[in-house]
Amino acid sequence: MTTVGRNIAAPLLFLNLIMYFITLGFASWCLNRYINGQTYHPSFGGNGATGFFLTFAILASVVGIVSKFAGGTHIRAWRNDSLAAAGASSMIAWAITALAFGFACKQINLGGHRGWRLKVVEAFTIILTFTQLLYLLMLHAGMFSSRYGPGYRDTEYGVETGGDPMHKGDVPVAGTRV
């Protein structure tokens, strides 16, 4: 059975995965220039918050990419037991992305010359903060109704549905123990 949460979470997972890869690429390029002391490059620039912002942007991207693997497994299975890994890793990814979002806002607030590559990382980090939150909410939508996805109270897995469950002592033992 396909649920509403799954239909929205799957495209968001793919969108976030692509955006995290793009952010990782641009942030890595910018951090390399920053470490080499090439902040005078016309497409880079920066200010006092740049080092912190780029560090958290790369961390958020890597954790976000890895969390999408657990999310992909959960989207495929769409069961309660896969929800825990997908939900926990996505929540951690969102928390780190929110930290990078704060540094992006600080960097924009400080001003100064910021090249187009740095602005791309800022924009993608800001967008990812909200799309990752929406993805996280879609994963946990089953808490409100089973129509939206697997919830925390569903217990249909691991339960035998056909006939009486076998009890101890129902099958005779062929030999005796000494």
Side-chain angles (χ1 to χ4, degrees), residues 109-123:
N109 189 29
L110 287 177
H113 172 70
R114 296 181 336 273
W116 69 271
R117 286 184 178 101
L118 203 51
K119 288 180 182 179
V120 165
V121 178
E122 292 167 357

Side-chain angles (χ1 to χ4, degrees), residues 100-178:
F101 169 79
F103 283 116
C105 292
K106 182 63 175 177
Q107 178 158 321
I108 293 168
N109 189 29
L110 287 177
H113 172 70
R114 296 181 336 273
W116 69 271
R117 286 184 178 101
L118 203 51
K119 288 180 182 179
V120 165
V121 178
E122 292 167 357
F124 271 63
T125 302
I126 291 169
I127 293 167
L128 274 166
T129 302
F130 296 107
T131 58
Q132 180 69 16
L133 178 62
L134 185 60
Y135 170 73
L136 187 61
L137 292 174
M138 288 300 108
L139 284 181
H140 294 294
M143 288 190 316
F144 304 109
S145 171
S146 61
R147 186 180 96 144
Y148 301 122
Y152 296 101
R153 293 179 299 266
D154 298 337
T155 58
E156 66 268 357
Y157 63 91
V159 176
E160 190 175 317
T161 57
D164 292 331
M166 184 180 293
H167 298 289
K168 260 187 171 176
D170 285 353
V171 178
V173 179
T176 59
R177 283 192 169 187
V178 178

Side-chain angles (χ1 to χ4, degrees), residues 7-36:
N7 288 338
I8 296 172
L12 274 173
L13 180 138
F14 183 71
L15 174 73
N16 286 350
L17 179 66
I18 298 301
M19 288 181 68
Y20 274 126
F21 268 117
I22 292 170
T23 303
L24 180 63
F26 277 107
S28 298
W29 183 91
C30 289
L31 188 63
N32 183 41
R33 295 285 181 180
Y34 186 77
I35 290 171
N36 290 340

Side-chain angles (χ1 to χ4, degrees), residues 20 58-68 89-90 92-94 96-97 132:
Y20 274 126
I58 289 174
L59 181 64
S61 297
V62 170
V63 173
I65 289 168
V66 171
S67 77
K68 296 303 166 251
S89 63
S90 292
I92 291 168
W94 176 76
I96 297 171
T97 305
Q132 180 69 16

